[in-house]
């Protein structure tokens, strides 16, 4: 059954092919790691991650996505944030 909740998150979409690479985020330019077209990188706090951890599909900005990567926890001793990638459903 569909469930909807607003969650605070950092969302980074893939850059359009015609966008200047200098406008990419500083980390991407240093690591030379670009987000593939059709993918979205999401960073959530623990509460937000716990809510969507069992989700099959996620809606962002009116588009539907699937979780398409392993979850990467961030934190020195205990994870405080989680990063993962979503893939657009067509």
């Amino acid at each position: 059954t569909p469930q909807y909740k607003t969650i605070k998150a950092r969302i980074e979409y893939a850059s359009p092919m015609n966008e200047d690479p200098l406008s990419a985020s500083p980390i991407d330019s240093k690591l030379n790691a670009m987000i593939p077209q059709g993918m979205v990188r999401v960073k959530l706090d623990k509460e937000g991650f716990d809510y969507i951890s069992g989700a099959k599909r996620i809606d962002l900005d009116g588009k539907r996505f699937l979780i398409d990567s392993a979850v990467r926890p961030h934190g020195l001793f205990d994870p405080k944030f989680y990063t993962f990638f979503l893939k657009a459903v067509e």
Side-chain angles (χ1 to χ4, degrees), residues 6-76:
T6 302
I7 298 173
K8 290 184 180 182
R10 293 182 189 169
I11 302 170
E12 185 174 357
Y13 291 93
S15 300
M17 297 303 278
N18 58 359
E19 187 174 315
D20 185 11
L22 295 176
S23 64
S25 69
I27 290 179
D28 283 344
S29 62
K30 289 180 185 176
L31 298 176
N32 198 19
M34 298 298 290
I35 299 173
Q37 199 66 21
M39 301 287 286
V40 177
R41 181 168 53 195
V42 177
K43 187 172 188 179
L44 297 169
D45 63 3
K46 182 164 177 41
E47 180 184 345
F49 175 71
D50 288 343
Y51 181 77
I52 66 158
S53 63
K56 302 220 187 270
R57 292 181 299 272
I58 298 172
D59 291 342
L60 297 174
D61 296 333
K63 295 182 182 177
R64 186 155 287 174
F65 295 89
L66 299 173
I67 297 176
D68 192 52
S69 71
V71 176
R72 181 175 171 226
H74 299 275
L76 187 56

Side-chain angles (χ1 to χ4, degrees), residues 1-5 51:
T1 60
Q3 297 178 6
Y4 293 94
K5 181 177 180 177
Y51 181 77

